[in-house]
Amino acid sequence: MTVEAQAELVIDAAGETSDAVLSVRDLTTTFTAGGQRIEALRGIDLDLYPGRVSVLLGESGSGKSVTARSILRLYGASAIIGGSAVFEGRDLVGLNEKEMQPIRGSGIALVPQDPTGSLDPVRRVGAQIVEVLRLHGVVDSKKEAQARAEELLGLVGLPDPVRAARSFPHEMSGGMKQRVAIAIAICCNPTLLIADEPTTALDVTVQAQILDLFVELTSSIGSAMLMITHDVGVAKDLADHVSVMYAGRIVEQGATSTVLDDPVHPYTKALLAAVPTPDVPRGNLIPIIGQPPVSGMTLPGCSFAPRCPVAQSSCTELVPELVSVELGHSVACPVATEFGAA
Amino acid sequence: MSDTQTTVEPVRMGRKATQPLLIVNDLVKTFGNGVKAVDGVSFTISPGETVGLVGESGCGKSTTAKLLLRTLDPDSGEVKFGGQDLLGMRGRALRRLRSRFQIVPQNPQTSLNPRLPVRSSIEFNLRAHGVPKPERVERIAEVLEQVGLPGAYGDRFPHELSGGQLQRAAIARAISTRPELVICDEAVSALDKSIQAQILNLLAEFQKELGMAYLFISHDLSVVEHISDQVLVMYLGRIVEDGTGSQLWNRPGHPYTEALLSAAPGAERERIVLVGDPPSPANPPSGCTFHTRCPIAIEACSTKRPLLKPTAGGSHAACIRTTDLQQP
């Protein structure tokens, strides 16, 4: 079934039964800082399916991480969240902290960007996995938890799991720590795994190992995966489905091959053109002019219009909606869809 | 060109000199904790040339930069800048020479004084190099315009500028003394791709206009390949391959270069996944330091340190197995 057909099925079923693990509809997140309203997310639609990798691609400040944290409800009272995020039949947006807590870790797990900051520096990594297993009641005894922790450390590719379990984070390299963070994330067999720039802090040869591990895990445990990245290459290598974000909105969405090989939205096109490749002579890169909008500043109409090479006067008036250009490929740009893919 | 057997290629940009601007010969730096950060590095930079230095964290790229800037002193080796022995210099002579080589650091948020307007940070550099006051004001306006910042931005503080604007300010400071060599240490790594392209174009433009040479340090091979005339690949303190970007790209002569190229996300190459992490530079493997992770290593690799030798692809690689590399 195509993505679009699946998405329609979700809408038809109105959240009762669907294939999607998580269905996000019109998700908005607003922060208030110093009396100023900052609209970080302005209506996100997203469907995640088991065994498939979906990538949120965008530059810093586009709202990728806010999307993940809003789904996990990590902002508490500091943010106003609107819309819906239906996970296993329950709308996460309506849940309180007590109802949310059991879902985090066992239903939806997060692999953070920086493993050094997310692991407890003064506890052995084995004990940190045991803690999560016991907290979610996945195991009956401490002994079983210990054995399971070692099994998990082996599963994520650490060469000597018994020794690794007895190690402190500072005794491990960045790649090893990220493997531990992945072991913690998958220890309760989550139905959805969210990875927020999980390889940005790693060297490129180690990054290749970790990305391979993700591909292996999503197919072996069959969980859905939402990967957040700024790196077009990572998206190309890993994703089944890509959503390109700009200034708190999704501007283009679809199967990886269509979006990244045959982009329609001017921002996606510009983003791909800005990446240096061997064929572009020095000094001839095509940058995107200007700066991304400052967070909190809400522009009327399309946020990309001030930097857009094909913008027309109408672009600053109306907020463009995601419109389907072909099966499973939507674009939020009336100019491009009218002339490009009509 | 870093090897003694090869001849130095003469200059590209319009300077009269055919002598290299910078000659680095057998540079060695071992830290107190036994970490051999730089282990016999040699290369040259000609006027107006860009030399890229690529490698993963801990390979000694930044230490090499610090040794060249004399913020660290090497254990042994030789560095000549414009014909003068850089390592023997101190005091006023060194300060005077320093105005001719500048650095654009990785993180402009921490390298520009947060409590000074950008203008003062640039002026500080000019004053340190003895530029008289009236000329300083003129020069600041000139460099701000050159990097594409409106003059009024000079009065702004670092926190009032975006990442890309800050990096422009850092570049303005570096080029304000009209240097002949600018060391860019991961200068675009912290920037978004769309802004990164702006800065890379800017650097290329300056080189054309002002004839500066760059030592461009980065972990990102695609960026280095794009901007450099000559690329040096470093692994555990040593240069393992030295060639032009297209030589390395089309036909790498060292298995590490090949793995690095294939590991880059989105690279349309057969992925060579290296086993494990790079070994600790405090206790590097014997012989070729890459042999512990090398997919084509043989026994001899663990005993003898390989020297840079010409390869079939036209580059120079420190690998005795270079002829056995699978080539497209």
Side-chain angles (χ1 to χ4, degrees):
Chain A
M1 207 188 311
T2 64
V3 178
E4 174 128 311
Q6 280 181 338
E8 266 162 15
L9 185 114
V10 174
I11 297 165
D12 289 346
E16 278 169 43
T17 49
S18 78
D19 292 351
V21 170
L22 179 78
S23 291
V24 175
R25 289 289 172 273
D26 198 25
L27 188 72
T28 57
T29 300
T30 309
F31 300 99
T32 359
Q36 199 194 359
R37 276 167 56 88
I38 297 169
E39 291 178 17
L41 293 187
R42 309 172 196 193
I44 300 290
D45 291 349
L46 203 59
D47 288 291
L48 304 174
Y49 299 94
R52 300 179 52 140
V53 181
S54 191
V55 159
L56 280 182
L57 179 67
E59 300 184 280
S60 40
S62 61
K64 313 181 294 288
S65 294
V66 179
T67 307
R69 294 175 147 263
S70 299
I71 291 168
L72 280 162
R73 299 285 314 282
L74 293 176
Y75 287 118
S78 66
I80 304 157
I81 297 177
S84 70
V86 178
F87 175 72
E88 293 180 333
R90 298 165 86 191
D91 184 1
L92 302 180
V93 173
L95 298 188
N96 62 30
E97 185 59 26
K98 210 175 149 192
E99 291 164 322
M100 199 60 219
Q101 196 50 46
I103 295 175
R104 295 186 194 126
S106 69
I108 307 176
L110 179 73
V111 179
Q113 174 168 2
D114 174 19
T116 313
S118 65
L119 294 173
D120 187 336
V122 295
R123 296 182 64 202
R124 297 179 198 276
V125 300
Q128 299 187 43
I129 302 177
V130 168
E131 181 190 14
V132 180
L133 289 168
R134 304 270 285 165
L135 192 72
H136 287 286
V138 186
V139 286
D140 300 322
S141 68
K142 208 167 172 185
K143 211 174 151 197
E144 194 192 331
Q146 190 64 40
R148 176 90 182 113
E150 283 162 13
E151 189 191 326
L152 283 160
L153 290 171
L155 190 70
V156 294
L158 287 169
D160 186 349
V162 180
R163 192 172 145 219
R166 294 190 44 78
S167 303
F168 288 100
H170 73 264
E171 296 171 315
M172 298 182 139
S173 69
M176 288 163 84
K177 277 185 277 196
Q178 195 56 289
R179 286 177 194 271
V180 173
I182 294 169
I184 292 175
I186 62 168
C187 74
C188 302
N189 291 318
T191 19
L192 171 61
L193 193 62
I194 299 179
D196 188 355
E197 304 258 16
T199 58
T200 310
L202 304 176
D203 273 324
V204 59
T205 56
V206 180
Q207 166 171 291
Q209 298 167 5
I210 299 290
L211 291 179
D212 283 359
L213 177 65
F214 272 117
V215 173
E216 225 177 276
L217 287 175
T218 34
S219 60
S220 69
I221 60 178
S223 56
M225 176 148 146
L226 179 64
M227 165 83 85
I228 291 169
T229 184
H230 67 279
D231 190 327
V232 176
V234 170
K236 257 189 194 158
D237 277 359
L238 215 63
D240 300 307
H241 187 262
V242 175
S243 305
V244 181
M245 288 192 76
Y246 188 80
R249 286 199 188 96
I250 290 172
V251 295
E252 185 160 4
Q253 196 169 44
T256 309
S257 52
T258 45
V259 174
L260 297 183
D261 292 343
D262 202 5
V264 174
H265 197 283
Y267 174 66
T268 317
K269 282 184 178 169
L271 190 64
L272 292 173
V275 179
T277 60
D279 326 322
V280 186
R282 197 188 316 173
N284 288 3
L285 287 172
I286 308 161
I288 306 178
I289 49 156
Q291 306 286 332
V294 181
S295 51
M297 210 171 69
T298 314
L299 296 167
C302 174
S303 310
F304 188 58
R307 304 174 77 191
C308 182
V310 297
Q312 298 177 352
S313 57
S314 60
C315 291
T316 52
E317 286 156 19
L318 242 130
V319 176
E321 301 269 330
L322 272 175
V323 176
S324 172
V325 288
E326 58 187 309
L327 204 61
H329 184 187
S330 327
V331 177
C333 177
V335 179
T337 46
E338 227 163 87
F339 299 110
Chain B
M1 83 186 165
S2 65
D3 211 14
T4 38
Q5 310 142 4
T6 35
T7 45
V8 175
E9 230 178 275
V11 198
R12 297 153 173 89
M13 295 292 171
R15 275 176 196 268
K16 56 176 187 262
T18 46
Q19 280 297 313
L21 179 64
L22 183 79
I23 302 172
V24 180
N25 195 10
D26 205 15
L27 208 57
V28 175
K29 175 71 186 175
T30 309
F31 288 107
N33 55 4
V35 170
K36 215 164 196 184
V38 175
D39 184 10
V41 163
S42 308
F43 61 93
T44 59
I45 303 179
S46 301
E49 183 187 42
T50 303
V51 172
L53 188 56
V54 70
E56 299 182 278
S57 46
C59 75
K61 322 184 280 292
S62 292
T63 306
T64 304
K66 284 179 186 156
L67 292 173
L68 299 183
L69 290 164
R70 286 287 309 274
T71 53
L72 278 176
D73 282 323
D75 303 344
S76 64
E78 189 185 27
V79 180
K80 277 196 168 151
F81 182 83
Q84 300 180 70
D85 177 22
L86 192 63
L87 299 180
M89 254 181 215
R90 49 196 77 250
R92 184 176 293 174
L94 177 62
R95 270 206 305 280
R96 198 168 296 149
L97 200 62
R98 269 194 176 138
S99 71
R100 294 168 61 190
F101 53 93
Q102 294 280 315
I103 184 166
V104 178
Q106 171 164 17
N107 192 342
Q109 266 93 354
T110 52
S111 67
L112 291 165
N113 189 332
R115 301 180 61 171
L116 287 181
V118 169
R119 176 185 304 285
S120 306
S121 284
I122 301 173
E123 185 170 10
F124 196 87
N125 193 22
L126 288 170
R127 202 168 56 206
H129 294 301
V131 179
K133 174 117 199 192
E135 201 182 323
R136 290 204 295 260
V137 177
E138 224 170 84
R139 194 81 73 84
I140 291 167
E142 186 189 317
V143 291
L144 284 175
E145 197 198 318
Q146 279 175 324
V147 298
L149 284 178
Y153 278 46
D155 298 318
R156 295 203 181 179
F157 288 87
H159 72 267
E160 296 175 300
L161 298 178
S162 71
Q165 288 166 343
L166 274 176
Q167 202 56 291
R168 283 172 193 267
I171 292 171
R173 179 174 60 175
I175 64 166
S176 65
T177 62
R178 310 246 164 91
E180 288 151 72
L181 173 68
V182 177
I183 299 177
C184 303
D185 189 2
E186 301 274 9
V188 297
S189 306
L191 304 174
D192 275 324
K193 278 282 176 298
S194 67
I195 307 296
Q196 185 179 78
Q198 292 177 4
I199 301 292
L200 287 174
N201 280 354
L202 191 69
L203 289 170
E205 198 181 301
F206 282 149
Q207 187 163 49
K208 225 183 261 170
E209 269 171 35
L210 312 172
M212 287 182 299
Y214 293 126
L215 177 63
F216 196 92
I217 299 174
S218 178
H219 68 281
D220 189 336
L221 204 54
S222 63
V223 170
V224 169
E225 199 275 343
H226 172 77
I227 195 145
S228 307
D229 298 305
Q230 201 73 20
V231 179
L232 311 168
V233 182
M234 255 183 117
Y235 186 78
L236 278 185
R238 297 179 188 170
I239 291 171
V240 296
E241 188 162 4
D242 168 358
T244 66
S246 61
Q247 282 168 353
L248 301 195
W249 204 271
N250 296 329
R251 190 153 186 190
H254 196 282
Y256 178 65
T257 313
E258 196 184 30
L260 211 55
L261 283 166
S262 80
E268 278 148 13
R269 290 169 185 265
E270 196 184 333
R271 171 86 54 92
I272 302 160
V273 175
L274 295 177
V275 216
D277 296 305
S280 158
N283 188 18
S286 60
C288 169
T289 48
F290 185 59
H291 83 263
T292 51
R293 300 174 81 201
C294 181
I296 58 166
I298 53 173
E299 216 177 305
C301 294
S302 61
T303 53
K304 199 162 168 267
R305 173 173 178 171
L307 295 174
L308 285 170
K309 295 225 167 74
T311 67
S315 67
H316 289 76
C319 177
I320 57 171
R321 298 270 291 154
T322 181
T323 48
D324 297 301
L325 274 176
Q326 283 293 322
Q327 295 298 348

